[in-house]
């Protein structure tokens, strides 16, 4: 399987950095002593070992999540003590299948469509936690299964025509697919064995090699057993998803922890405020919690996307209290001319998408399960509480008022830190030091009924720190106050954070490290944010940035196929597709670029406009030093025209044709100039 799905990882069968059991117990020291224990190190498919997956199994498409720090047992009372030996831990009876000791092929049931199911509790848990029915893996298995099926069918026909040479060749190919080193060998052994068991008796007696392909000990599930296993998987998944965090109960909280990583994988928004239609993919199966940074000019819809996400993920009780407390006009959020706004969110770990429909009269309808992840959302203005009565509102699992009303303050960090347990305070102190990049000589302490920074032998209360420090501390504490009651430690915390204009109130040095700081503080939390600050893009990986543009006829369109920013200078980021500035020079030059691009969009410019194009090009070239030769100037003119017209093209087919036309024009210019002036370097 490794060869077919990508490079392998070395992973620990029992996790190394603590866990929370299915019944809510916290085991912070399990199983660190096995981190480098040979018997606990396994070669893993890279994708199986990652955090978030999109999967497809049975009917319809759905998602699964990675194992992370989960290690469920059949009986929690059998959990081993700290520093238990490998022999003592053998009594734990884990619900995850151990490929080195369990007969996996007798528990998992594969289908020719590439999916896997099971009627066994351990098999069901393994399929769910490891995402064994994610889309990419299912498709790869399906292709292999089709190949095996075609070989079997061709072999049967060869037997019918007594083509012994061809039969022998088919047998060897099938054997190669069943060898331990082959991709999806377990599935192939099972499916080939099942197909052979269904062959008619006559005609195959002369080929005992065919019957030997049905290996003993492999599940040769018939159609009925396969259907039972698939039904069991559906029932198991539905049962795991049957919880709501609006129910203030230990059962709902434990169910949330058991479901594993739950991230937004894709968003579809229609007729919500300025957005007519927007489809956005977020999670990509990367090794860390997926991030997304939204860029775009003002009024392009960045804040609108955050608000749409927040409203769609809330439970009915919280959404009703929110609209009442803030006097939100939901009906006014429906785009003019439309009867209904619709928001679809696909979540990892959810069989069905979360759907919110908002109608013109302010009524709503929903689909999918609500309130299934912890959610914190913040607007572009994040004020600190100035009066004792300014107590942040929200629900036990979510706090989003500030996203819709900038006058709703963040939590009073000082009071929360003073009331925090020693464990909570220690976690918060470490998180704040990471977020602010405070050196080792400074530490956050509680002293004489107050809290603040101790540096260079002096105690500075929190209230006397600069506003930037206080804002960052308040943001970190606000998030921790929401997640720690459920997840015990920030490292284990999972959920979603939405932040509008992350660069506000931050010094440039903090903007540069904001992403990496938040990744280190909350490695399992998904964060979707907006910014106008190029410095805030540092730390983001390829695919974690999207740009919104206002279309030529209104509405919003998305650009997500962007170049990597790694290695770019700040001025290069500003003039790249991420921000689209023509120049980082003075506004007068920018105005010339704007006029130049406007004239290039015209298909039939007048003689006067043609002369103006030449004049503007000369002036811009003098300042920017673009194009030293005739060939370079003509190439740049063609490219400028293409870029100027591209913003008006919304159809993908037209975009592709435009790119092909540009390539042809550039090639013709290059060849003509080469013929006229000879080879140039």
């Amino acid at each position: 399987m490794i060869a077919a799905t990508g490079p392998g990882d070395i992973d620990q069968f029992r996790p190394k950095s603590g866990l929370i059991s299915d019944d809510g117990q916290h085991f912070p020291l399990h199983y660190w002593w096995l981190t480098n224990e040979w018997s606990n190190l396994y070669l893993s498919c890279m994708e199986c070992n990652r955090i978030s997956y999109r999967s497809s199994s049975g009917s319809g498409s759905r998602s699964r999540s990675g194992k992370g720090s989960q290690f469920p047992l059949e009986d929690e009372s059998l959990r081993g003590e700290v520093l238990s030996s490998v022999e003592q831990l053998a009594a734990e009876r884990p619900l995850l299948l151990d490929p080195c000791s369990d007969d996996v092929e007798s528990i998992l049931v594969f289908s020719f469509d590439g999916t896997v199911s099971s009627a066994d509790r351990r098999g069901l848990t393994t399929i769910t936690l490891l995402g064994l029915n994610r889309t990419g893996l299912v498709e790869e298995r399906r292709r292999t299964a089709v190949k095996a099926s075609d070989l079997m069918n061709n072999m049967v026909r060869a037997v019918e025509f007594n083509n012994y040479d061809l039969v022998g060749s088919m047998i060897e190919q099938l054997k190669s697919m069943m060898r331990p080193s082959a991709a999806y060998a377990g599935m192939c052994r099972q499916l080939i064995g099942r197909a052979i068991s269904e062959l008619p008796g006559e005609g195959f007696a002369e080929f005992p090699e065919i019957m030997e392909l049905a290996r003993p000990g492999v599940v040769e599930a018939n159609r009925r057993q396969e259907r039972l296993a698939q039904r069991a998987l559906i029932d198991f998944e539905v049962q795991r998803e049957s919880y709501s965090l609006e129910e203030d109960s230990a059962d709902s909280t434990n169910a949330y922890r058991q479901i594993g990583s739950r991230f937004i994988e894709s968003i579809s928004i229609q007729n919500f405020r300025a957005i007519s239609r927007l489809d956005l993919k977020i999670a990509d199966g990367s090794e860390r919690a997926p991030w997304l940074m939204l860029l775009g000019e003002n009024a392009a819809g960045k804040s609108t996307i955050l608000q749409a996400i927040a409203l769609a993920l809330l439970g009915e009780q919280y959404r009703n209290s929110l609209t009442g407390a803030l006097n939100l006009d939901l009906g006014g959020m429906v785009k003019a001319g439309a009867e209904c706004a619709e928001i679809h969110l696909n979540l990892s770990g959810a069989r069905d998408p979360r759907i919110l429909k908002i109608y013109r009269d302010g009524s709503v309808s929903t689909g999918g399960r609500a309130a299934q992840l912890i959610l914190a959302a913040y607007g572009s203005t994040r004020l600190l509480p100035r009066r004792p009565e300014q107590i942040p509102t929200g629900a036990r699992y979510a706090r989003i008022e500030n996203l819709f009303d900038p006058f709703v303050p963040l939590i009073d960090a000082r009071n929360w830190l003073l009331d925090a347990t020693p464990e909570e305070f220690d976690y918060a102190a470490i998180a704040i030091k990471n977020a602010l990049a405070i050196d080792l000589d400074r530490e956050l302490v509680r002293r004489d009924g107050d809290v603040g920074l101790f540096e260079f032998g002096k105690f500075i209360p929190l209230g006397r720190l600069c506003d930037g420090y206080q804002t960052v501390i308040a943001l970190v504490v606000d998030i921790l106050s929401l997640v720690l009651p459920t997840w015990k430690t920030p490292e284990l915390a999972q959920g979603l954070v939405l932040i509008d204009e992350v660069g506000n109130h931050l010094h440039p040095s903090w903007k540069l490290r904001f992403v990496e700081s938040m990744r280190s503080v909350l490695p399992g939390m998904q964060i979707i944010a907006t910014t106008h600050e190029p410095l805030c893009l540092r730390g983001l990986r390829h695919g974690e940035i999207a740009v919104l543009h206002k279309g030529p006829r209104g509405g919003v369109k998305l650009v997500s196929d962007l170049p990597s920013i790694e290695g770019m200078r700040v001025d290069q980021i500003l003039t790249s597709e991420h921000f689209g500035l023509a120049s980082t020079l003075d506004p007068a030059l920018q105005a010339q670029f704007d006029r130049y691009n406007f004239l290039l969009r015209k298909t039939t410019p007048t003689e006067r406009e043609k002369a103006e194009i030449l004049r503007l090009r000369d002036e811009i070239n003098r300042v920017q030093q673009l194009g030293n030769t005739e060939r370079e100037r003509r190439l740049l003119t063609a490219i400028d025209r293409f870029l100027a017209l591209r913003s008006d093209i919304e159809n993908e087919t037209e975009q592709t044709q435009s790119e092909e036309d540009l390539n042809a024009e550039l090639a013709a210019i290059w060849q003509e100039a080469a013929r006229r002036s000879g080879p140039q370097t």
Side-chain angles (χ1 to χ4, degrees), residues 549-565:
H549 286 305
K550 289 186 288 188
R553 291 181 292 275
V556 176
K557 66 177 183 177
L558 175 74
V559 179
S560 57
D561 185 18
L562 299 166
S564 173
I565 64 167

Side-chain angles (χ1 to χ4, degrees), residues 636-665:
L636 290 171
T637 299
I639 295 171
D640 283 345
R641 189 186 309 110
F642 166 78
L643 294 175
L645 293 171
R646 185 175 61 176
S647 61
D648 295 333
I649 300 175
E650 297 183 346
N651 183 283
E652 185 175 345
T653 301
E654 293 178 359
Q655 177 71 28
T656 301
Q657 183 60 51
S658 177
E659 292 174 357
E660 292 176 354
D661 292 344
L662 172 66
N663 291 335
E665 183 177 2

Side-chain angles (χ1 to χ4, degrees), residues 324-398:
L326 301 183
N327 294 318
L328 291 183
D329 179 14
L330 292 182
M333 296 181 181
V334 180
K335 187 175 176 62
E339 293 299 319
C340 169
E342 192 164 338
I343 303 160
H344 286 239
L345 302 180
N346 286 307
L347 301 177
S348 59
R351 291 181 57 85
D352 303 309
R354 178 65 183 156
I355 302 173
L356 175 67
K357 294 183 179 180
I358 304 175
Y359 299 93
R360 178 65 64 186
D361 62 0
S363 61
V364 301
S365 64
T366 60
R369 296 191 177 275
Q372 290 207 309
L373 79 169
I374 288 175
L375 171 64
Y378 306 95
S380 59
T381 302
R382 300 178 283 278
L383 301 176
L384 304 176
R386 299 299 182 186
R387 298 184 301 276
E389 66 272 16
Q390 287 185 303
I391 301 175
T393 54
R396 181 179 65 91
Y397 69 95

